[in-house]
Amino acid sequence: MNKLRDEQNSLKLFITKIFGNGELLDVTGIHELVAAGYPGGNEYSMTCIAEQLRDLQEEGLLSGDGFYINDEGEPVSLYRISEFGLGRLHECR
């Protein structure tokens, strides 16, 4: 159980660092960046990444910053790092 928690925390830190420049991103963009840059990242599903983003938002590290309608007519949430998240990120450096 601790290994799984450590893995999830490591992934959350990686995702938080992606947002470190203040960029506005959606789950698809984060999924692509995790697949390309995180060890074993291509094994994470879009659902898993969406859950991580929701957790980070609940923890106050990310904030929802609107949405857009995709080609299928579905709303897609956009995320940005919060001030609290930036502060925590700077503490980790």
Side-chain angles (χ1 to χ4, degrees):
M1 177 103 163
N2 285 339
K3 183 178 178 185
L4 177 60
R5 185 172 45 237
D6 289 346
E7 186 176 314
Q8 288 176 339
N9 287 337
S10 178
L11 178 58
K12 284 181 181 179
L13 179 58
F14 182 84
I15 291 171
T16 304
K17 286 180 179 179
I18 290 172
F19 283 97
N21 64 3
E23 191 173 354
L24 186 63
L25 296 165
D26 64 13
V27 68
T28 302
I30 293 297
H31 184 257
E32 291 170 0
L33 292 168
V34 167
Y38 187 76
N42 57 345
E43 298 176 17
Y44 291 98
S45 68
M46 190 83 75
T47 301
C48 176
I49 300 301
E51 289 172 4
Q52 298 298 312
L53 291 171
R54 281 191 296 274
D55 287 350
L56 288 166
Q57 187 175 12
E58 287 175 8
E59 294 167 13
L61 299 170
L62 298 180
S63 59
D65 201 358
F67 67 95
Y68 67 91
I69 304 298
N70 67 12
D71 294 338
E72 290 81 36
E74 302 286 327
V76 177
S77 296
L78 295 167
Y79 299 89
R80 184 183 310 270
I81 196 163
S82 66
E83 290 296 321
F84 175 72
L86 278 173
R88 294 300 304 256
L89 196 56
H90 290 297
E91 289 174 9
C92 291
R93 293 183 179 166

Coordinates of all heavy atoms in Angstrom, one line a residue:
M1 N 0.8 -1.2 0.0 CA 0.0 0.0 0.0 C 0.9 1.3 0.0 O 0.6 2.2 -0.7 CB -0.9 0.0 1.2 CG -1.8 1.2 1.3 SD -3.4 0.9 0.8 CE -4.2 2.3 1.5
N2 N 2.0 1.3 0.8 CA 2.8 2.4 0.8 C 3.5 2.7 -0.6 O 3.7 3.8 -0.9 CB 3.9 2.3 1.9 CG 3.3 2.5 3.3 OD1 2.3 3.1 3.4 ND2 4.0 2.0 4.3
K3 N 3.8 1.6 -1.3 CA 4.4 1.7 -2.6 C 3.4 2.4 -3.5 O 3.8 3.3 -4.3 CB 4.8 0.4 -3.1 CG 5.5 0.5 -4.5 CD 6.0 -0.9 -5.0 CE 6.6 -0.7 -6.3 NZ 7.0 -2.0 -6.9
L4 N 2.2 2.0 -3.5 CA 1.2 2.7 -4.3 C 1.0 4.1 -4.0 O 1.0 5.0 -4.9 CB -0.2 1.9 -4.2 CG -1.3 2.5 -5.0 CD1 -1.0 2.5 -6.5 CD2 -2.6 1.7 -4.7
R5 N 1.0 4.4 -2.7 CA 0.8 5.8 -2.3 C 2.0 6.7 -2.7 O 1.9 7.8 -3.2 CB 0.6 5.9 -0.8 CG 0.3 7.3 -0.3 CD -0.1 7.5 1.2 NE 0.8 6.7 2.1 CZ 0.3 5.8 2.9 NH1 -1.0 5.5 2.9 NH2 1.1 5.1 3.7
D6 N 3.2 6.1 -2.5 CA 4.5 6.8 -3.0 C 4.4 7.0 -4.5 O 4.8 8.1 -4.9 CB 5.7 6.0 -2.6 CG 6.0 6.0 -1.1 OD1 5.4 6.8 -0.4 OD2 6.8 5.1 -0.7
E7 N 4.0 6.1 -5.2 CA 3.9 6.2 -6.7 C 2.9 7.3 -7.1 O 3.2 8.1 -7.9 CB 3.5 4.9 -7.3 CG 3.5 4.9 -8.8 CD 3.1 3.5 -9.4 OE1 3.7 2.5 -8.9 OE2 2.3 3.5 -10.3
Q8 N 1.7 7.3 -6.4 CA 0.7 8.4 -6.7 C 1.3 9.7 -6.3 O 1.1 10.7 -7.0 CB -0.6 8.1 -5.9 CG -1.3 6.9 -6.5 CD -2.5 6.6 -5.7 OE1 -2.7 6.9 -4.5 NE2 -3.5 5.9 -6.3
N9 N 2.0 9.9 -5.2 CA 2.5 11.2 -4.8 C 3.6 11.6 -5.8 O 3.7 12.8 -6.1 CB 3.1 11.1 -3.4 CG 2.0 11.0 -2.3 OD1 0.9 11.5 -2.6 ND2 2.3 10.5 -1.2
S10 N 4.4 10.7 -6.3 CA 5.4 11.0 -7.2 C 4.8 11.5 -8.5 O 5.2 12.5 -9.1 CB 6.3 9.8 -7.5 OG 7.2 10.1 -8.5
L11 N 3.7 10.8 -9.0 CA 3.0 11.3 -10.2 C 2.3 12.6 -10.0 O 2.4 13.5 -10.8 CB 1.9 10.2 -10.6 CG 1.1 10.6 -11.8 CD1 1.9 10.8 -13.0 CD2 0.0 9.5 -12.0
K12 N 1.8 12.9 -8.8 CA 1.2 14.2 -8.5 C 2.2 15.3 -8.5 O 2.0 16.3 -9.0 CB 0.5 14.1 -7.1 CG -0.8 13.4 -7.1 CD -1.5 13.4 -5.8 CE -2.8 12.7 -5.7 NZ -3.4 12.7 -4.4
L13 N 3.4 15.0 -8.0 CA 4.5 16.0 -8.0 C 4.9 16.3 -9.5 O 5.0 17.4 -9.8 CB 5.7 15.5 -7.2 CG 6.8 16.5 -7.2 CD1 6.4 17.9 -6.6 CD2 8.0 15.9 -6.3
F14 N 5.0 15.2 -10.3 CA 5.4 15.4 -11.7 C 4.3 16.3 -12.4 O 4.6 17.2 -13.1 CB 5.5 14.1 -12.4 CG 5.9 14.1 -13.8 CD1 7.2 14.2 -14.2 CD2 4.9 14.1 -14.8 CE1 7.6 14.3 -15.5 CE2 5.3 14.2 -16.1 CZ 6.6 14.3 -16.5
I15 N 3.0 16.0 -12.1 CA 2.0 16.7 -12.8 C 2.0 18.2 -12.3 O 1.8 19.1 -13.1 CB 0.6 16.1 -12.5 CG1 0.5 14.8 -13.3 CG2 -0.6 17.0 -12.9 CD1 -0.7 13.9 -12.9
T16 N 2.2 18.4 -11.0 CA 2.2 19.8 -10.5 C 3.4 20.5 -11.1 O 3.2 21.7 -11.5 CB 2.4 19.7 -8.9 OG1 1.3 19.0 -8.4 CG2 2.4 21.1 -8.4
K17 N 4.5 19.9 -11.3 CA 5.7 20.6 -11.9 C 5.3 21.0 -13.4 O 5.8 22.0 -13.9 CB 6.9 19.7 -11.9 CG 7.5 19.6 -10.5 CD 8.7 18.7 -10.5 CE 9.4 18.6 -9.2 NZ 10.5 17.7 -9.2
I18 N 4.5 20.2 -14.1 CA 4.1 20.5 -15.4 C 3.4 21.9 -15.4 O 3.6 22.7 -16.4 CB 3.2 19.4 -16.0 CG1 4.0 18.1 -16.3 CG2 2.5 19.9 -17.3 CD1 3.2 17.0 -16.7
F19 N 2.6 22.1 -14.4 CA 1.9 23.4 -14.3 C 2.7 24.5 -13.8 O 2.2 25.6 -13.7 CB 0.6 23.2 -13.4 CG -0.5 22.4 -14.0 CD1 -0.6 21.1 -13.8 CD2 -1.4 23.1 -14.8 CE1 -1.7 20.4 -14.4 CE2 -2.5 22.4 -15.4 CZ -2.6 21.0 -15.2
G20 N 3.9 24.3 -13.4 CA 4.8 25.3 -12.8 C 5.0 26.6 -13.5 O 5.2 27.6 -12.9
N21 N 4.8 26.6 -14.8 CA 5.0 27.8 -15.6 C 3.7 28.6 -15.7 O 3.6 29.6 -16.4 CB 5.6 27.5 -16.9 CG 4.7 26.7 -17.8 OD1 3.5 26.4 -17.4 ND2 5.1 26.3 -19.0
G22 N 2.6 28.1 -15.1 CA 1.3 28.8 -15.1 C 0.5 28.5 -16.3 O -0.6 29.1 -16.5
E23 N 0.9 27.5 -17.1 CA 0.1 27.2 -18.3 C -1.3 26.6 -18.0 O -1.5 26.0 -17.0 CB 0.9 26.2 -19.1 CG 0.4 26.0 -20.5 CD 1.3 25.1 -21.3 OE1 2.4 24.7 -20.9 OE2 0.9 24.7 -22.4
L24 N -2.2 26.9 -18.8 CA -3.6 26.4 -18.7 C -3.6 25.1 -19.5 O -3.3 25.1 -20.7 CB -4.5 27.4 -19.3 CG -6.0 27.2 -19.2 CD1 -6.4 27.1 -17.7 CD2 -6.8 28.3 -19.9
L25 N -4.0 23.9 -18.9 CA -4.0 22.7 -19.6 C -5.2 21.8 -19.3 O -5.9 22.0 -18.2 CB -2.7 21.9 -19.1 CG -1.4 22.4 -19.5 CD1 -0.3 21.8 -18.7 CD2 -1.1 22.3 -21.0
D26 N -5.5 20.9 -20.1 CA -6.6 20.0 -19.9 C -6.1 18.6 -19.7 O -4.9 18.3 -19.8 CB -7.6 20.0 -21.1 CG -7.0 19.5 -22.4 OD1 -5.9 18.9 -22.4 OD2 -7.7 19.7 -23.5
V27 N -6.9 17.6 -19.4 CA -6.5 16.3 -19.1 C -5.8 15.6 -20.3 O -4.8 14.9 -20.1 CB -7.7 15.4 -18.6 CG1 -8.7 15.1 -19.7 CG2 -7.2 14.1 -18.0
T28 N -6.2 15.9 -21.5 CA -5.5 15.3 -22.6 C -4.1 15.8 -22.7 O -3.2 15.0 -23.0 CB -6.3 15.6 -23.9 OG1 -7.6 15.1 -23.8 CG2 -5.6 15.0 -25.2
G29 N -3.8 17.1 -22.6 CA -2.5 17.6 -22.6 C -1.6 17.0 -21.5 O -0.5 16.7 -21.7
I30 N -2.1 16.9 -20.3 CA -1.4 16.3 -19.2 C -1.1 14.8 -19.5 O 0.0 14.4 -19.2 CB -2.1 16.5 -17.9 CG1 -2.2 18.0 -17.5 CG2 -1.5 15.7 -16.7 CD1 -0.8 18.6 -17.3
H31 N -2.1 14.1 -20.0 CA -1.9 12.7 -20.3 C -0.8 12.5 -21.3 O 0.1 11.6 -21.1 CB -3.2 12.1 -20.8 CG -3.2 10.7 -21.1 ND1 -3.0 10.1 -22.3 CD2 -3.2 9.6 -20.2 CE1 -3.0 8.8 -22.3 NE2 -3.1 8.5 -21.0
E32 N -0.7 13.4 -22.3 CA 0.4 13.3 -23.3 C 1.7 13.6 -22.7 O 2.7 12.9 -23.0 CB 0.1 14.2 -24.4 CG -1.1 13.8 -25.3 CD -1.5 14.9 -26.3 OE1 -0.9 16.0 -26.4 OE2 -2.5 14.6 -27.0
L33 N 1.8 14.6 -21.8 CA 3.1 14.9 -21.2 C 3.5 13.9 -20.2 O 4.7 13.6 -20.1 CB 2.9 16.3 -20.5 CG 2.8 17.5 -21.4 CD1 2.3 18.7 -20.7 CD2 4.0 17.7 -22.2
V34 N 2.6 13.3 -19.4 CA 2.9 12.2 -18.5 C 3.4 11.0 -19.3 O 4.5 10.4 -19.0 CB 1.7 11.8 -17.6 CG1 2.0 10.5 -16.9 CG2 1.4 12.9 -16.6
A35 N 2.7 10.6 -20.4 CA 3.2 9.5 -21.2 C 4.6 9.7 -21.8 O 5.4 8.8 -21.9 CB 2.2 9.3 -22.4
A36 N 4.9 10.9 -22.2 CA 6.2 11.2 -22.8 C 7.3 11.4 -21.8 O 8.5 11.1 -22.1 CB 6.1 12.5 -23.6
G37 N 7.0 11.9 -20.6 CA 8.1 12.3 -19.7 C 8.2 11.6 -18.3 O 9.2 11.8 -17.6
Y38 N 7.2 10.8 -17.9 CA 7.2 10.2 -16.6 C 7.5 8.7 -16.8 O 7.0 8.1 -17.7 CB 5.8 10.4 -16.0 CG 5.7 9.9 -14.5 CD1 6.3 10.6 -13.5 CD2 5.1 8.7 -14.2 CE1 6.2 10.2 -12.2 CE2 5.1 8.2 -12.9 CZ 5.6 9.0 -11.9 OH 5.6 8.6 -10.6
P39 N 8.4 8.2 -16.0 CA 8.8 6.8 -16.1 C 7.5 5.9 -16.0 O 6.7 5.9 -15.1 CB 9.7 6.5 -14.9 CG 10.2 7.8 -14.5 CD 9.1 8.8 -14.9
G40 N 7.3 5.1 -17.1 CA 6.1 4.3 -17.1 C 4.8 5.0 -17.4 O 3.7 4.5 -17.3
G41 N 5.0 6.3 -17.8 CA 3.8 7.2 -18.0 C 2.8 6.7 -19.0 O 1.7 7.0 -18.9
N42 N 3.3 6.0 -20.0 CA 2.4 5.5 -21.1 C 1.4 4.4 -20.5 O 0.5 4.1 -21.2 CB 3.1 5.0 -22.3 CG 4.1 3.9 -22.0 OD1 4.4 3.7 -20.8 ND2 4.6 3.3 -23.0
E43 N 1.6 4.0 -19.3 CA 0.8 3.0 -18.7 C -0.4 3.6 -18.0 O -1.4 2.9 -17.6 CB 1.6 2.1 -17.7 CG 2.7 1.3 -18.4 CD 3.5 0.5 -17.4 OE1 3.1 0.3 -16.3 OE2 4.6 0.1 -17.8
Y44 N -0.4 4.9 -17.8 CA -1.5 5.6 -17.1 C -2.6 5.9 -18.1 O -2.4 6.5 -19.1 CB -1.0 6.8 -16.4 CG -0.1 6.5 -15.2 CD1 1.3 6.6 -15.4 CD2 -0.6 6.2 -14.0 CE1 2.1 6.3 -14.3 CE2 0.2 5.9 -12.9 CZ 1.6 5.9 -13.1 OH 2.4 5.7 -12.1
S45 N -3.8 5.6 -17.7 CA -5.0 5.9 -18.5 C -5.4 7.3 -18.4 O -5.0 8.0 -17.4 CB -6.2 5.0 -18.1 OG -6.6 5.3 -16.8
M46 N -6.2 7.8 -19.3 CA -6.8 9.1 -19.2 C -7.6 9.3 -17.9 O -7.6 10.3 -17.3 CB -7.6 9.4 -20.4 CG -8.1 10.8 -20.6 SD -6.8 11.8 -21.4 CE -7.0 11.3 -23.0
T47 N -8.3 8.2 -17.5 CA -9.1 8.3 -16.3 C -8.2 8.4 -15.1 O -8.6 9.2 -14.2 CB -9.9 6.9 -16.2 OG1 -10.8 6.8 -17.3 CG2 -10.8 6.9 -14.9
C48 N -7.1 7.7 -15.1 CA -6.2 7.9 -13.9 C -5.7 9.3 -13.8 O -5.6 9.9 -12.7 CB -5.0 6.9 -14.1 SG -3.8 7.0 -12.8
I49 N -5.3 9.9 -15.0 CA -4.8 11.3 -15.0 C -5.9 12.2 -14.5 O -5.6 13.1 -13.7 CB -4.2 11.6 -16.3 CG1 -3.1 10.7 -16.7 CG2 -3.8 13.1 -16.4 CD1 -1.9 10.7 -15.8
A50 N -7.1 12.0 -15.0 CA -8.2 12.9 -14.6 C -8.4 12.8 -13.1 O -8.7 13.8 -12.4 CB -9.5 12.5 -15.3
E51 N -8.3 11.6 -12.5 CA -8.4 11.4 -11.0 C -7.3 12.2 -10.3 O -7.6 12.8 -9.3 CB -8.4 10.0 -10.7 CG -9.6 9.2 -11.1 CD -9.5 7.7 -10.9 OE1 -8.4 7.2 -10.3 OE2 -10.4 7.0 -11.2
Q52 N -6.1 12.1 -10.8 CA -5.0 12.8 -10.2 C -5.2 14.4 -10.3 O -5.0 15.1 -9.3 CB -3.7 12.5 -10.9 CG -3.3 11.1 -10.9 CD -3.0 10.6 -9.5 OE1 -2.3 11.2 -8.7 NE2 -3.6 9.4 -9.1
L53 N -5.7 14.8 -11.4 CA -6.0 16.3 -11.5 C -7.1 16.7 -10.5 O -7.0 17.7 -9.8 CB -6.5 16.6 -12.9 CG -5.4 16.5 -14.0 CD1 -6.0 16.7 -15.4 CD2 -4.3 17.6 -13.7
R54 N -8.2 15.9 -10.3 CA -9.2 16.2 -9.4 C -8.6 16.2 -7.9 O -9.0 17.0 -7.1 CB -10.4 15.2 -9.5 CG -11.3 15.5 -10.6 CD -12.6 14.7 -10.6 NE -12.3 13.2 -10.7 CZ -12.2 12.6 -11.9 NH1 -12.4 13.2 -13.0 NH2 -12.0 11.3 -11.9
D55 N -7.8 15.2 -7.6 CA -7.2 15.2 -6.3 C -6.3 16.4 -6.1 O -6.4 17.0 -5.0 CB -6.3 13.9 -6.2 CG -7.0 12.6 -6.0 OD1 -8.3 12.7 -5.8 OD2 -6.4 11.6 -6.1
L56 N -5.5 16.8 -7.0 CA -4.7 18.0 -6.9 C -5.6 19.3 -6.7 O -5.2 20.2 -6.0 CB -3.8 18.2 -8.1 CG -2.6 17.1 -8.1 CD1 -2.0 17.1 -9.5 CD2 -1.6 17.4 -7.0
Q57 N -6.7 19.3 -7.4 CA -7.6 20.4 -7.2 C -8.2 20.4 -5.8 O -8.3 21.5 -5.2 CB -8.7 20.4 -8.3 CG -9.6 21.6 -8.3 CD -10.6 21.6 -9.4 OE1 -10.8 20.6 -10.1 NE2 -11.2 22.7 -9.6
E58 N -8.6 19.2 -5.4 CA -9.2 19.1 -4.0 C -8.2 19.5 -2.9 O -8.5 20.1 -1.9 CB -9.7 17.7 -3.8 CG -11.0 17.4 -4.5 CD -11.4 16.0 -4.3 OE1 -10.8 15.2 -3.5 OE2 -12.4 15.6 -5.0
E59 N -6.9 19.2 -3.2 CA -5.8 19.6 -2.3 C -5.4 21.0 -2.4 O -4.6 21.5 -1.6 CB -4.6 18.7 -2.5 CG -4.9 17.2 -2.2 CD -3.8 16.3 -2.8 OE1 -2.7 16.8 -3.2 OE2 -4.0 15.1 -2.8
G60 N -6.0 21.8 -3.3 CA -5.7 23.2 -3.4 C -4.5 23.5 -4.3 O -4.2 24.7 -4.4
L61 N -3.9 22.5 -4.9 CA -2.7 22.8 -5.7 C -3.0 23.3 -7.1 O -2.2 24.0 -7.7 CB -1.8 21.5 -5.7 CG -1.3 21.0 -4.4 CD1 -0.7 19.7 -4.5 CD2 -0.3 22.0 -3.8
L62 N -4.1 22.8 -7.6 CA -4.6 23.3 -8.9 C -6.0 24.0 -8.8 O -6.7 23.7 -7.8 CB -4.8 22.1 -9.9 CG -3.5 21.3 -10.3 CD1 -3.9 20.2 -11.2 CD2 -2.4 22.2 -10.8
S63 N -6.3 24.8 -9.7 CA -7.6 25.4 -9.7 C -8.2 25.1 -11.1 O -7.6 25.1 -12.1 CB -7.6 26.9 -9.4 OG -6.8 27.6 -10.4
G64 N -9.6 24.9 -11.1 CA -10.3 24.8 -12.3 C -10.4 26.2 -12.9 O -10.6 27.2 -12.2
D65 N -10.1 26.3 -14.2 CA -10.1 27.6 -14.9 C -10.9 27.6 -16.1 O -10.4 27.9 -17.2 CB -8.6 28.0 -15.1 CG -8.4 29.5 -15.3 OD1 -9.5 30.2 -15.3 OD2 -7.3 29.9 -15.5
G66 N -12.1 27.2 -16.0 CA -13.1 27.2 -17.1 C -13.1 25.8 -17.9 O -12.6 24.8 -17.4
F67 N -13.6 25.9 -19.0 CA -13.7 24.7 -19.9 C -13.9 25.1 -21.3 O -14.1 26.3 -21.6 CB -14.9 23.8 -19.4 CG -16.2 24.4 -19.6 CD1 -17.0 24.1 -20.8 CD2 -16.8 25.3 -18.7 CE1 -18.2 24.7 -21.0 CE2 -18.0 25.9 -18.9 CZ -18.7 25.6 -20.1
Y68 N -13.8 24.1 -22.2 CA -14.2 24.3 -23.6 C -15.0 23.1 -24.0 O -15.0 22.1 -23.4 CB -12.9 24.5 -24.5 CG -12.0 23.3 -24.6 CD1 -12.2 22.4 -25.6 CD2 -11.0 23.1 -23.7 CE1 -11.4 21.3 -25.8 CE2 -10.2 22.0 -23.8 CZ -10.4 21.1 -24.8 OH -9.6 20.0 -25.0
I69 N -15.6 23.2 -25.2 CA -16.4 22.1 -25.7 C -15.6 21.5 -26.8 O -15.1 22.1 -27.7 CB -17.8 22.7 -26.3 CG1 -18.6 23.4 -25.3 CG2 -18.6 21.5 -26.9 CD1 -19.0 22.7 -24.1
N70 N -15.4 20.1 -26.6 CA -14.5 19.4 -27.6 C -15.3 19.1 -28.9 O -16.5 19.4 -29.0 CB -13.9 18.2 -27.0 CG -14.9 17.1 -26.6 OD1 -16.1 17.1 -27.0 ND2 -14.5 16.1 -25.8
D71 N -14.7 18.4 -29.8 CA -15.3 18.0 -31.1 C -16.6 17.1 -30.9 O -17.4 17.1 -31.8 CB -14.3 17.4 -32.0 CG -13.2 18.3 -32.4 OD1 -13.4 19.5 -32.3 OD2 -12.1 17.8 -32.8
E72 N -16.6 16.4 -29.8 CA -17.8 15.5 -29.5 C -18.9 16.3 -28.8 O -19.9 15.7 -28.5 CB -17.4 14.3 -28.7 CG -16.5 13.3 -29.5 CD -15.0 13.8 -29.5 OE1 -14.5 14.3 -28.5 OE2 -14.4 13.5 -30.6
G73 N -18.7 17.6 -28.6 CA -19.7 18.3 -27.9 C -19.7 18.2 -26.4 O -20.6 18.6 -25.7
E74 N -18.6 17.6 -25.8 CA -18.5 17.4 -24.4 C -17.7 18.6 -23.8 O -16.7 19.0 -24.4 CB -17.8 16.1 -24.1 CG -18.5 14.9 -24.7 CD -19.7 14.5 -23.9 OE1 -19.7 14.7 -22.7 OE2 -20.6 14.0 -24.5
P75 N -18.0 19.0 -22.6 CA -17.2 20.0 -21.9 C -15.9 19.4 -21.4 O -15.9 18.2 -20.9 CB -18.1 20.5 -20.7 CG -19.0 19.3 -20.5 CD -19.2 18.6 -21.8
V76 N -14.8 20.1 -21.5 CA -13.5 19.6 -21.1 C -13.0 20.7 -20.1 O -12.8 21.9 -20.5 CB -12.5 19.5 -22.3 CG1 -11.1 19.1 -21.8 CG2 -13.1 18.5 -23.3
S77 N -12.7 20.2 -18.9 CA -12.2 21.1 -17.9 C -10.7 21.6 -18.1 O -9.9 20.8 -18.6 CB -12.2 20.5 -16.5 OG -13.6 20.2 -16.1
L78 N -10.4 22.8 -17.8 CA -9.1 23.3 -17.9 C -8.6 23.6 -16.5 O -9.3 24.0 -15.6 CB -9.1 24.6 -18.7 CG -9.5 24.5 -20.1 CD1 -9.8 25.8 -20.7 CD2 -8.4 23.8 -20.9
Y79 N -7.3 23.4 -16.3 CA -6.7 23.5 -15.0 C -5.5 24.4 -15.1 O -4.8 24.5 -16.1 CB -6.2 22.2 -14.4 CG -7.3 21.2 -14.3 CD1 -7.7 20.3 -15.3 CD2 -8.0 21.1 -13.1 CE1 -8.7 19.4 -15.1 CE2 -9.0 20.1 -12.9 CZ -9.4 19.3 -13.9 OH -10.4 18.4 -13.8
R80 N -5.2 25.1 -13.9 CA -4.0 26.0 -13.8 C -3.5 25.8 -12.4 O -4.3 25.5 -11.5 CB -4.4 27.4 -14.1 CG -3.3 28.4 -14.0 CD -3.7 29.8 -14.2 NE -4.6 30.1 -15.3 CZ -4.2 30.4 -16.6 NH1 -3.0 30.5 -16.9 NH2 -5.1 30.6 -17.5
I81 N -2.2 26.0 -12.2 CA -1.7 25.9 -10.8 C -2.2 27.1 -10.0 O -2.4 28.2 -10.5 CB -0.1 25.8 -10.8 CG1 0.4 25.3 -9.5 CG2 0.5 27.1 -11.2 CD1 1.8 24.9 -9.5
S82 N -2.5 26.8 -8.7 CA -3.0 27.8 -7.8 C -1.8 28.5 -7.2 O -0.7 28.1 -7.2 CB -3.9 27.2 -6.7 OG -3.1 26.4 -5.9
E83 N -2.1 29.6 -6.5 CA -1.0 30.3 -5.8 C -0.5 29.4 -4.7 O 0.8 29.4 -4.5 CB -1.6 31.6 -5.1 CG -1.9 32.7 -6.1 CD -0.6 33.2 -6.8 OE1 0.4 33.3 -6.2 OE2 -0.7 33.4 -8.1
F84 N -1.3 28.7 -4.0 CA -0.9 27.7 -3.0 C 0.0 26.7 -3.6 O 1.0 26.3 -3.1 CB -2.1 27.1 -2.3 CG -1.8 26.0 -1.4 CD1 -1.2 26.3 -0.1 CD2 -2.1 24.7 -1.7 CE1 -0.9 25.3 0.8 CE2 -1.8 23.6 -0.8 CZ -1.2 23.9 0.4
G85 N -0.4 26.2 -4.8 CA 0.4 25.2 -5.5 C 1.7 25.7 -5.9 O 2.7 25.0 -5.8
L86 N 1.8 26.9 -6.4 CA 3.1 27.5 -6.7 C 4.0 27.6 -5.5 O 5.2 27.3 -5.5 CB 2.9 28.9 -7.3 CG 2.6 29.0 -8.8 CD1 2.2 30.4 -9.2 CD2 3.7 28.4 -9.6
G87 N 3.4 28.0 -4.4 CA 4.2 28.1 -3.1 C 4.7 26.7 -2.7 O 5.9 26.6 -2.3
R88 N 3.9 25.7 -2.8 CA 4.3 24.4 -2.4 C 5.4 23.9 -3.4 O 6.3 23.2 -3.0 CB 3.1 23.4 -2.4 CG 2.1 23.6 -1.4 CD 2.7 23.6 0.1 NE 3.3 22.3 0.3 CZ 2.8 21.3 1.0 NH1 1.6 21.5 1.6 NH2 3.4 20.2 1.2
L89 N 5.2 24.2 -4.7 CA 6.2 23.8 -5.6 C 7.6 24.4 -5.4 O 8.6 23.8 -5.4 CB 5.7 24.1 -7.0 CG 6.4 23.5 -8.2 CD1 6.3 22.0 -8.1 CD2 5.7 24.0 -9.5
H90 N 7.6 25.7 -5.0 CA 8.8 26.4 -4.7 C 9.5 25.8 -3.4 O 10.7 25.7 -3.3 CB 8.6 27.9 -4.6 CG 8.3 28.5 -5.9 ND1 9.2 28.6 -6.9 CD2 7.2 29.2 -6.3 CE1 8.7 29.2 -7.9 NE2 7.5 29.6 -7.6
E91 N 8.6 25.3 -2.5 CA 9.2 24.7 -1.3 C 9.9 23.4 -1.6 O 10.8 23.0 -0.9 CB 8.0 24.4 -0.3 CG 7.4 25.6 0.4 CD 6.2 25.2 1.2 OE1 6.0 24.0 1.4 OE2 5.5 26.2 1.7
C92 N 9.4 22.7 -2.7 CA 10.0 21.4 -3.0 C 11.4 21.5 -3.7 O 12.1 20.6 -3.9 CB 9.1 20.6 -3.9 SG 7.6 20.0 -3.1
R93 N 11.7 22.7 -4.2 CA 12.9 22.9 -5.0 C 14.1 23.2 -4.1 O 14.2 23.4 -3.0 CB 12.7 24.1 -6.0 CG 11.7 23.7 -7.0 CD 11.6 24.8 -8.0 NE 10.7 24.4 -9.0 CZ 10.1 25.2 -9.9 NH1 10.4 26.4 -9.9 NH2 9.3 24.8 -10.8

